[in-house]
Amino acid sequence: MIRLLIADDHPVVRAGLRAVLESEQDFAIVAEAATAERAVELAAEPGVDVVLMDLQFGPGSTMNGAQATAAITARAGAPRVLVVTTYDSDADTLPALEAGATGYLLKDAPPEELAQAVRAAAAGRSALAPSVADRLLERMRTPAAALSARETEVLGLVADGLTNQRISQHLHLSQATVKSHLVHIYAKLGVDSRTAAVREARGRGLIR
């Protein structure tokens, strides 16, 4: 029996996942969490094999799903974490996978794909949404042209309308470092402005 913890701030989503997963004879829903912090607490208790983790939580959470994933997987003997979310940009997938997520699935995945991903995660195998897997392969094929996690983070803040000064404060970097990241981003994307960089990155699925 694979014991599951569902972590999502939307009751309807939790109910939907529960309905789908409880139809599988080898799954048991042992806990639910509406905040990232509660997910970390419950995952530390015995009896959880896989955590189904959303990435974005509401105002009740100070952590996001990637941060919760890192906190969970840092412990010895921790359960596996399978991210189940609506977001599939590099800005979302890279932090989650770097945090230790075993798999990454989208909420519109068919029920049988979700069940297969849970079983794979429980066995310690990777389970990735096709769009995520495709972009990770592309990053491997052309590493020189791929944005780093930090560059993706910087560009995401540019897309949010932050100035270089505010980005430097937010990320605790010097403004010179922020400018250096932007120069590298422009070169990799083949653009020469912030607006063009955001447009190109969104077109490639690198940021939301």
Side-chain angles (χ1 to χ4, degrees):
M1 186 67 68
I2 300 173
R3 299 161 298 181
L4 306 175
L5 161 61
I6 300 174
D8 195 292
D9 61 330
H10 292 98
V12 172
V13 173
R14 294 198 306 273
L17 288 172
R18 175 182 281 274
V20 169
L21 295 168
E22 283 186 334
S23 67
E24 301 291 332
Q25 294 184 350
D26 54 337
F27 294 165
I29 312 299
V30 297
E32 294 184 13
T35 67
E37 290 82 359
R38 184 59 176 155
V40 173
E41 292 173 1
L42 291 172
E45 298 177 2
V48 177
D49 299 310
V50 178
V51 180
L52 280 75
M53 179 71 71
D54 193 12
L55 281 186
Q56 300 297 325
F57 289 81
S61 285
T62 58
M63 305 174 73
N64 61 34
Q67 292 167 331
T69 297
I72 291 170
T73 58
R75 297 189 176 115
R80 306 289 183 176
V81 177
L82 172 64
V83 171
V84 182
T85 185
T86 56
Y87 307 109
D88 69 342
S89 73
D90 281 8
D92 299 298
T93 59
L94 295 179
L97 295 175
E98 290 176 352
T102 300
Y104 197 108
L105 210 61
L106 301 181
K107 287 180 178 176
D108 62 357
E112 60 272 17
E113 187 176 330
L114 175 61
Q116 291 172 359
V118 169
R119 294 188 183 100
R125 302 193 306 272
S126 297
L128 300 174
S131 60
V132 174
D134 288 346
R135 281 208 309 280
L136 288 176
L137 284 172
E138 186 60 29
R139 289 178 67 85
M140 293 176 63
R141 292 190 189 103
T142 58
L147 297 186
S148 69
R150 177 62 89 183
E151 289 166 351
T152 302
E153 189 174 22
V154 168
L155 189 53
L157 294 175
V158 170
D160 289 339
L162 273 65
T163 63
N164 286 3
Q165 181 179 6
R166 289 187 61 197
I167 293 172
S168 69
Q169 294 169 346
H170 184 83
L171 298 179
H172 306 290
L173 301 172
S174 69
Q175 290 193 54
T177 300
V178 172
K179 290 178 181 178
S180 177
H181 282 313
L182 287 172
V183 168
H184 293 151
I185 290 167
Y186 293 172
K188 290 178 178 181
L189 297 181
V191 299
D192 58 6
S193 72
R194 298 163 75 92
T195 302
V198 169
R199 182 172 59 249
E200 181 68 17
R202 282 178 172 156
R204 296 188 191 185
L206 306 181
I207 60 174
R208 291 183 211 161

